[in-house]
Amino acid sequence: MKTVGIIGGTGNIGEGLARRICLGGKYDVIIGSREAPKAVTAADGVVCCLKEKKCTSTTCSGSANADVCSADIIIISLPFERVESTIASIGKEKFENKVIVSLINPMIRNPAEKYFLPDRPKIGSAALAIKEMLPASAKLFTAFNNVAAGKWMQLDEELDYSVAVCGDDGEAKKTVMDLVASVSKLHPLDAGPLENAATIEGLTPLVITIAMRNGLKDVGVYFR
């Protein structure tokens, strides 16, 4: 069975992802953290959830971020400003030839005025900036960017959103799309090369703004 590693997996999105992926029954998960005990605690929560849901086909463990790089697919679930230092602390060489997924959407937040804006790096997107931090052999993709953050831990609710997947390696993209399709009822869509990541990342602040200004909650993105 393939393994998915989540760097920064102790937050609600990371732990929710871990639970949803394990419940899909096709991947084991390793949760990573700067502090290994925090990752172990989060993984224990996932294991308890799997027992409650009577899911016995997959498992979850917790460890330091560096150990996550043994996984077949690596998801980076961190604030953008922490990515470069985290990669440096792990060691760039650990990401050689790896399939890596970014779900990061840098934003300028103004909740008092009820709007959020994209906060793109000079290169154009978080994904393109992260690509420059990684070895040339690493295969970086965007996915899960526009799933409502509040929905990940609500396991009794199906996730039926569209998930745009951007990236440049066709074979590895199929691997990422298979992962997306294993989670609840998410529907993966090929969104073209990594250069399109800026558009995908910019949808999330727009969706949050629409939700806040129109009294909506956990708004998702659908392409139908």
Side-chain angles (χ1 to χ4, degrees):
M1 183 175 290
K2 287 188 176 181
T3 305
V4 176
I6 305 176
I7 294 175
T10 58
N12 281 344
I13 293 177
E15 189 172 337
L17 256 173
R19 295 183 182 208
R20 296 275 190 175
I21 291 170
C22 284
L23 287 171
K26 295 184 178 180
Y27 302 86
D28 292 328
V29 173
I30 307 171
I31 290 177
S33 174
R34 287 179 298 177
E35 303 172 28
K38 286 182 65 175
V40 171
T41 298
D44 287 346
V46 176
V47 171
C48 287
C49 169
L50 295 177
K51 288 180 180 177
E52 289 173 3
K53 299 288 186 180
K54 294 181 172 57
C55 178
T56 59
S57 58
T58 57
T59 188
C60 182
S61 60
S63 193
N65 278 326
D67 298 324
V68 165
C69 293
S70 64
D72 298 292
I73 305 169
I74 301 168
I75 298 174
I76 300 177
S77 179
L78 294 167
F80 176 65
E81 60 271 15
R82 282 178 44 201
V83 174
E84 187 168 17
S85 62
T86 299
I87 290 173
S89 67
I90 291 171
K92 187 175 176 179
E93 69 282 356
K94 293 272 192 178
F95 297 90
E96 291 279 0
N97 300 304
K98 289 293 184 177
V99 177
I100 303 166
V101 175
S102 166
L103 47 73
I104 298 167
N105 307 303
M107 287 181 275
I108 298 168
R109 303 165 187 266
N110 194 330
E113 297 295 331
K114 294 187 177 180
Y115 72 81
F116 285 60
L117 299 173
D119 188 17
R120 298 186 180 95
K122 288 183 180 180
I123 196 171
S125 69
L128 289 176
I130 293 168
K131 183 178 180 181
E132 291 197 338
M133 302 171 194
L134 294 166
S137 64
K139 302 171 182 67
L140 181 67
F141 298 86
T142 58
F144 303 117
N145 298 70
N146 310 131
V147 177
K151 289 286 191 180
W152 283 113
M153 292 288 279
Q154 297 176 22
L155 301 180
D156 292 330
E157 296 188 25
E158 295 282 10
L159 301 178
D160 63 347
Y161 305 120
S162 303
V163 173
V165 180
C166 296
D168 302 322
D169 185 293
E171 185 175 348
K173 182 179 281 184
K174 291 178 184 176
T175 298
V176 174
M177 293 178 73
D178 285 346
L179 169 63
V180 173
S182 77
V183 177
S184 194
K185 293 184 178 179
L186 294 180
H187 181 54
L189 294 170
D190 187 337
L194 201 65
E195 281 79 3
N196 278 343
T199 301
I200 302 307
E201 293 172 7
L203 286 176
T204 293
L206 173 63
V207 164
I208 295 172
T209 298
I210 289 171
M212 293 181 72
R213 289 186 167 230
N214 294 276
L216 304 173
K217 186 178 180 182
D218 295 331
V219 176
V221 175
Y222 305 85
F223 298 99
R224 293 176 179 167

